[in-house]
Amino acid sequence: MAPPQGPRAPLEFGGPLGAAALLLLLPATMFHLLLAARSGPARLLSPPASLPGLEALWSPRALLLWLAWLGLQAALYLLPARKVAEGQELKDKSRLRYPINGFQALVLTALLVGLGVSAGLPLAALPEMLLPLAFVATLTAFIFSLFLYMKAQVAPVSALAPGGNSGNPIYDFFLGRELNPRICFFDFKYFCELRPGLIGWVLINLALLVKEAELRGSPSLAMWLVNGFQLLYVGDALWHEEAILTTMDITHDGFGFMLAFGDIAWVPFTYSLQAQFLLRHPQPLGLPMASAICLINAIGYYIFRGANSQKNTFRKNPSDPRVAGLETISTATGRKLLVSGWWGMVRHPNYLGDLIMALAWSLPCGVSHLLPYFYLLYFTALLVHREARDERQCLQKYGLAWQEYCRRVPYRIMPYIY
Ligand SMILES: NC(=O)C1=CN([C@@H]2O[C@H](COP(=O)(O)OP(=O)(O)OC[C@H]3O[C@@H](n4cnc5c(N)ncnc54)[C@H](OP(=O)(O)O)[C@@H]3O)[C@@H](O)[C@H]2O)C=CC1
Ligand SMILES: CC(C)CCC[C@@H](C)[C@H]1CC=C2C3=C(CC[C@@]21C)[C@@]1(C)CC[C@H](O)C[C@@H]1CC3
């Protein structure tokens, strides 16, 4: 049985108190956003006029639909993959293997939904079920995190994450104790991070678009843009699925409530906020403005993809001709750090691109309401916090070489500003 590791790792998120607050605050925020998007005033900062009763939250149909969705995504995960990739080296020097078939899961889901719709599946009924679906997703996240917490009790010490093993049950439940909880080949964290939530997000967007067409004769230009931009983002994440294996979520963070809730509830139900808002609050959008917004999204995507691909190519093979000419700093670990190209502009160019895209996703919703800008605000806070966590880890890993990198590339995310 795995004992708690003791308070060796510094506590994050405000320690046990912060974790306890977030356990309540995150679901409450998600429900607030869902209710605000369907209300007339659509206010981000005022409490909802009335709270929904249990009958509006609990629906056996929603539970069945949710379980069928999770079952479908799990079945698609288990299908033969075009490639099996190896993860980063673990504490015990082993490497886990992961199926690379996320994009295939997206395409097969689209085909199945298409078949279902042509056979009479009422996709436009989904927007009316968002509240009960979000409720069962939240319940699932709590129950699943409890299972993960218990599972970690019998995991070997080498399988535990560096954080999340403080001995405080609330903090550890929130952060997650085990690094890569699995049953046989089925990796829970890897599965949840990319499948039910991300694919669910674009399916909810699509249902909102279909519902808008039903209500108003055709989907609005704003709804098309939001759907198109976010589909590009999700398709890109699944196409470059292997890149997720080097993110801190997979290599460093335990799998607990934060990621379980974030992956399966927060992503589909809050990241679809712009489309939810547009269904009830249609916004006029002319072609010149739409073209300008497309240009902003294209610039954001260009930076985001360029930076991520440059680092991934460099990490896989530093002598690849696409990156071999870039300037680097050597580190004591034998790995090098890029100091020119995208990674010479700021220390997190991929975050900059991601934030520019986040702006482009909100702009089609106009400027009359703050609500559709929630994602941009939340995401800025998430990335600033994430950047600080990554900096700490890089300083620990690379020491003086990291300090030299910070000296040569002084800005973190936004050149000359931050
Ligand atoms: N939409 C959403 O909700 C979210 C989206 N994202 C996106 O996911 C993507 C992945 O983000 P994330 O996991 O945070 O981290 P990054 O992809 O930015 O990776 C950070 C790591 O890159 C390596 N690195 C840093 N600087 C350099 C350099 N100069 N040269 C070479 N390697 C370097 C270090 O790891 P090492 O040296 O060990 O390789 C560092 O730990 C991003 O595009 C982000 O925007 C992230 C979170 C949420
Ligand atoms: C609920 C909390 C406030 C925080 C939850 C955080 C999670 C929602 C995010 C943590 C890291 C994520 C990543 C992605 C989605 C959001 C979560 C799960 C991506 C898969 C998005 C697409 C990118 O191309 C890759 C991202 C990796 C990290």
Side-chain angles (χ1 to χ4, degrees), residues 13 22 26 174 192-194 198 201 233-234 236-238 240 244 247-249 253 257-264 266-267 271 304-305 308 354 375 378-379 382 386:
F13 301 98
L22 285 170
L26 289 172
F174 180 76
C192 288
E193 182 116 350
L194 284 172
L198 273 193
W201 170 19
Y233 189 69
V234 170
D236 175 274
L238 293 166
H240 298 98
I244 205 90
T247 61
M248 70 172 87
D249 311 80
D253 294 342
F257 181 81
M258 182 182 74
L259 276 182
F261 175 78
D263 292 343
I264 65 175
W266 183 261
V267 166
Y271 283 29
F304 166 84
R305 180 61 13 239
N308 278 327
D354 222 336
Y375 178 74
Y378 139 83
F379 198 42
L382 180 118
R386 201 171 163 92

Side-chain angles (χ1 to χ4, degrees), residues 233 271 308 315 335 338 350-351 354 386 390 397-398:
Y233 189 69
Y271 283 29
N308 278 327
R315 279 283 172 254
R335 290 184 130 198
L338 290 165
N350 47 354
Y351 289 3
D354 222 336
R386 201 171 163 92
D390 191 51
K397 210 166 19 177
Y398 299 125

Side-chain angles (χ1 to χ4, degrees), residues 205-219:
N205 274 352
L206 178 68
L208 290 157
L209 181 143
V210 172
K211 179 76 185 172
E212 197 190 35
E214 208 178 271
L215 286 179
R216 305 199 180 94
S218 63

